[in-house]
Amino acid sequence: MSENERIKGNDYYRAGEMEESIISYTKSIMLNPVNAKVYANRAQARIRMNELDLALQDCNEAIKLNPAYTKALARRGMILQKKGRYEEAISDFSECCRLETASVYERFLERCKEKHEEEISRKKTTTTLKILEVDETEKDEVNDDGDDLDGIEEVYTPGALESQSEREYDRDNDKVFAVKKRFTSKEVTTENKIGSSGSS
């Protein structure tokens, strides 16, 4: 009975009827919960349905039952890559290549490495505003005392808008001032100091 449901699931899958194939694979698993192939097949159908979390669970079950099952490892690698978990995906594809030398999985591994490098490069760059010249600065004391403005340090923040209002504190005279700054800026691309091994 379990094998019959597995075959029906395969037929539904080939016909493009993913929901029906998942139902048949589920029935097969209920009748025989230790068949790694059925978990891997259901995972593939769920990938086609974009049910990535459920597909990942199926791959994990298949690999638990058969750690050397390359189809399950490769499908898990595909899911992890789709989820941006590149280092884990690379690990799965590498294991596939170790188990099956000169296999199609080498192409999957290289593509995943490329995607990982692209992601690292994207995260290392960011666009900010760099202040080129301060056109005008106006200060209005918030309180009513009228003391002079000595001792105030002006702060210009990279990434600020073209017109910025801030509040500054004069520590010497215990005064708070509202400061409006207008300046000329341009967009510049900078590199963030992040490690090359980070993943989402």
Side-chain angles (χ1 to χ4, degrees):
M1 289 292 293
S2 174
E3 183 63 13
N4 289 339
E5 291 296 339
R6 185 187 71 82
I7 292 170
K8 283 172 60 178
N10 290 347
D11 290 340
Y12 282 127
Y13 181 86
R14 283 191 287 267
E17 299 179 29
M18 297 302 120
E19 291 183 3
E20 294 298 325
S21 72
I22 290 170
I23 291 171
S24 291
Y25 290 140
T26 300
K27 289 178 180 178
S28 178
I29 289 169
M30 291 174 67
L31 293 165
N32 179 13
V34 294
N35 189 336
K37 288 184 179 180
V38 186
Y39 284 104
N41 288 355
R42 189 171 68 174
Q44 183 61 27
R46 283 174 163 169
I47 290 171
R48 292 282 298 274
M49 294 286 291
N50 203 34
E51 297 175 350
L52 298 185
D53 290 336
L54 292 173
L56 183 58
Q57 292 177 22
D58 280 343
C59 288
N60 288 337
E61 287 298 324
I63 294 165
K64 189 185 301 182
L65 291 167
N66 183 0
Y69 189 16
T70 52
K71 282 188 177 180
L73 284 164
R75 286 169 189 171
R76 187 172 71 176
M78 292 174 189
I79 296 165
L80 293 169
Q81 181 175 315
K82 285 176 177 288
K83 293 170 77 68
R85 293 162 60 177
Y86 294 106
E87 291 183 349
E88 294 170 83
I90 288 169
S91 177
D92 279 347
F93 291 137
S94 297
E95 181 65 6
C96 288
C97 292
R98 187 187 70 80
L99 292 167
E100 294 186 20
T101 57
S103 67
V104 68
Y105 302 123
E106 292 178 0
R107 188 175 75 249
F108 295 163
L109 175 60
E110 292 306 312
R111 179 56 181 157
C112 188
K113 286 180 177 179
E114 289 174 6
K115 296 285 288 184
H116 189 208
E117 290 299 321
E118 290 171 6
E119 181 70 6
I120 291 170
S121 178
R122 186 186 66 80
K123 286 184 176 180
K124 285 176 69 175
T125 59
T126 185
T127 301
T128 60
L129 288 177
K130 180 179 181 181
I131 297 170
L132 301 180
E133 179 182 357
V134 177
D135 299 325
E136 184 177 354
T137 301
E138 300 173 357
K139 300 182 181 180
D140 295 317
E141 191 173 337
V142 174
N143 60 0
D144 295 329
D145 289 338
D147 292 345
D148 60 49
L149 307 182
D150 291 342
I152 295 180
E153 292 184 2
E154 297 178 4
V155 178
Y156 300 96
T157 306
L161 300 176
E162 296 259 338
S163 179
Q164 174 180 322
S165 293
E166 295 179 352
R167 288 195 172 188
E168 294 177 350
Y169 177 57
D170 179 357
R171 293 180 178 82
D172 294 337
N173 300 302
D174 194 25
K175 307 296 180 188
V176 178
F177 299 89
V179 181
K180 185 176 183 181
K181 305 182 180 75
R182 289 187 292 275
F183 48 82
T184 303
S185 63
K186 72 173 182 178
E187 286 190 351
V188 294
T189 300
T190 58
E191 287 201 357
N192 292 330
K193 294 181 179 180
I194 65 171
S196 61
S197 63
S199 63
S200 8

